[in-house]
């Protein structure tokens, strides 16, 4: 297996591996690379839906998206379809986010398998390293943020797509540490995003807005801690929803893009980072 970092801070391409036929040493190498690079790219993969799900299950239990739990879409509950038609004005995940951070236990990883790419190019996905987004803050600001809790509300994201809940439907809301500790590497990361986070609890709304806006803007505009993935048909990209945020780019009007995503549940709720 050949592992080529995309940048020193985030992302790696892994070649010469078939995700449908992994042995235990290849899986161990992928798990290690996942924790080191946070975003992994596997090209030229031919996977059935079951093989895609089985790859996800190697990391843990598969997440069922709240839209499926609500009965909005009952097809294969563990698969989230990312289908953008040529005349689409919106696509899934166009703002920076961590997938469904509004869940009590958010998914720790997502694995998107894109089989159709726009023929004229475009449709890339951007990623930003949220460990690095926290690490670059001054220690005074870090200390202010550590110990705070942020509220995440899935309806914020739904409203971005013009969707309102019908009677009897609910969507998750949860409060999580603003600076959790990554359960595998022990490092703090910034866990708030414009798609799901409504506010930081325990401070005034204007202070919360000011802090979140500044933090989002810095992460979104700092290319030193980002990478941008160019898809080719039959590429799988796997990312860590704790240590990175991502955004899709709809810049391919007139062309279609199709992918299917599975996400893997974390084993516990995000835990607050504590200074020792
Ligand atoms: C997403 O999972 O948010 C979608 C990413 C993409 O389509 O590139």
């Amino acid at each position: 297996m050949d592992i080529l970092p995309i940048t020193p801070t985030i992302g790696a391409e892994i070649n010469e591996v078939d995700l449908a036929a992994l042995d235990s040493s290849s899986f161990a190498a992928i798990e290690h690379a996942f924790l080191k690079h946070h975003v992994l790219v596997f090209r030229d993969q031919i996977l059935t839906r079951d093989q895609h799900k089985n790859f996800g299950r190697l990391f843990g239990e598969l997440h069922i998206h709240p839209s499926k739990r609500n009965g909005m879409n009952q097809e294969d509950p563990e698969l989230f379809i990312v289908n953008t038609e040529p005349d689409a004005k919106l696509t899934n995940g166009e703002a920076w986010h961590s997938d469904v951070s509004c869940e009590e236990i958010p998914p720790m990883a997502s694995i998107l398998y894109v089989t159709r790419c726009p023929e004229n190019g475009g449709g890339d996905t951007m990623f930003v390293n949220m460990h690095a987004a926290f690490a670059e803050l001054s220690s005074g600001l870090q200390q202010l943020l550590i110990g705070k809790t942020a509220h995440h509300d899935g309806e914020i994201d739904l409203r971005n797509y013009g969707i309102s809940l019908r009677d009897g439907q609910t969507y998750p809301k949860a409060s999580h540490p603003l600076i959790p500790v990554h359960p595998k590497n022990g490092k703090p990361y910034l866990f708030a995003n414009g798609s799901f986070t409504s506010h930081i609890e325990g401070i005034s709304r204007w202070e919360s807005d000011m802090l979140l806006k500044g933090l989002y803007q810095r992460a979104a505009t700092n290319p030193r801690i980002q990478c941008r993935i160019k898809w080719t048909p039959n590429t799988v990209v796997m990312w860590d929803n704790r240590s990175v945020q991502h955004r899709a780019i709809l810049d391919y009007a007139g062309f279609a893009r199709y992918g299917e995503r599975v996400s893997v549940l974390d084993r516990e709720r995000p835990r607050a980072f504590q200074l020792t």
Side-chain angles (χ1 to χ4, degrees):
M1 191 183 303
D2 188 25
I3 303 178
L4 295 170
I6 295 171
T7 82
T9 314
I10 181 168
E13 290 235 3
I14 303 203
N15 298 317
E16 289 157 39
V17 66
D18 177 359
L19 297 182
L22 286 179
D23 57 27
S24 57
S25 72
S26 309
F27 174 66
I30 290 174
E31 210 176 16
H32 182 262
F34 177 63
L35 294 175
K36 181 167 177 198
H37 300 286
H38 315 290
V39 178
L40 299 180
V41 181
F42 306 89
R43 299 208 183 263
D44 303 318
Q45 300 294 319
I46 301 299
L47 298 179
T48 63
R49 284 183 165 176
D50 279 338
Q51 286 166 334
H52 183 185
K53 288 192 273 189
N54 286 341
F55 175 60
R57 285 194 189 105
L58 295 175
F59 295 86
E61 190 187 332
L62 297 187
H63 170 253
I64 296 185
H65 196 269
S67 60
K68 306 263 178 155
R69 302 203 297 264
N70 264 324
M72 289 177 186
N73 181 345
Q74 289 297 2
E75 200 196 339
D76 205 332
E78 290 159 330
L79 275 183
F80 184 80
I81 308 293
V82 180
N83 182 24
T84 312
E85 303 282 359
D87 59 351
K89 297 286 177 280
L90 292 172
T91 191
N92 181 67
E94 258 191 284
W96 286 106
H97 66 287
S98 171
D99 287 329
V100 273
S101 62
C102 57
E103 293 277 29
E104 292 279 334
I105 300 186
M108 62 102 161
S110 295
I111 303 168
L112 177 60
Y113 179 37
V114 169
T115 48
R116 177 159 187 198
C117 298
E119 288 79 5
N120 252 17
D124 299 354
T125 308
M126 294 177 73
F127 293 88
V128 58
N129 181 326
M130 299 310 288
H131 288 305
F134 179 70
E136 70 157 0
L137 303 176
S138 65
S139 73
L141 183 51
Q142 288 183 344
Q143 281 170 38
L144 182 88
L145 302 177
I146 290 171
K148 298 258 181 306
T149 300
H151 189 68
H152 299 241
D153 179 349
E155 282 192 60
I156 299 175
D157 189 50
L158 288 184
R159 280 196 292 273
N160 290 335
Y161 296 97
I163 301 171
S164 14
L165 293 176
R166 291 196 304 271
D167 282 352
Q169 289 183 324
T170 56
Y171 223 68
K173 299 179 199 308
S175 294
H176 296 303
L178 180 60
I179 311 297
V181 57
H182 193 293
K184 294 283 189 182
N185 65 22
K187 289 189 200 156
Y189 59 99
L190 176 58
F191 195 54
N193 64 85
S195 294
F196 292 102
T197 310
S198 57
H199 62 285
I200 300 172
E201 295 175 350
I203 59 176
S204 66
R205 197 62 178 230
W206 72 264
E207 284 181 317
S208 163
D209 288 349
M210 177 185 69
L211 284 167
L212 291 178
K213 223 179 260 179
L215 293 166
Y216 296 158
Q217 191 193 7
R218 176 65 185 162
T221 57
N222 183 0
R224 290 184 184 182
I225 60 172
Q226 296 176 358
C227 70
R228 178 166 172 150
I229 306 297
K230 191 162 274 308
W231 297 85
T232 43
N234 304 323
T235 296
V236 171
V237 176
M238 170 174 193
W239 62 86
D240 187 328
N241 279 306
R242 300 157 296 193
S243 54
V244 306
Q245 289 186 19
H246 61 285
R247 61 168 300 177
I249 304 174
L250 178 56
D251 57 355
Y252 47 93
F255 294 88
R257 180 176 180 271
Y258 182 86
E260 298 186 347
R261 188 181 85 195
V262 300
S263 295
V264 182
L265 269 177
D266 217 336
R267 289 187 173 76
E268 54 176 343
R269 296 184 64 127
R271 269 185 297 118
F273 175 74
Q274 284 175 343
L275 284 172
T276 47

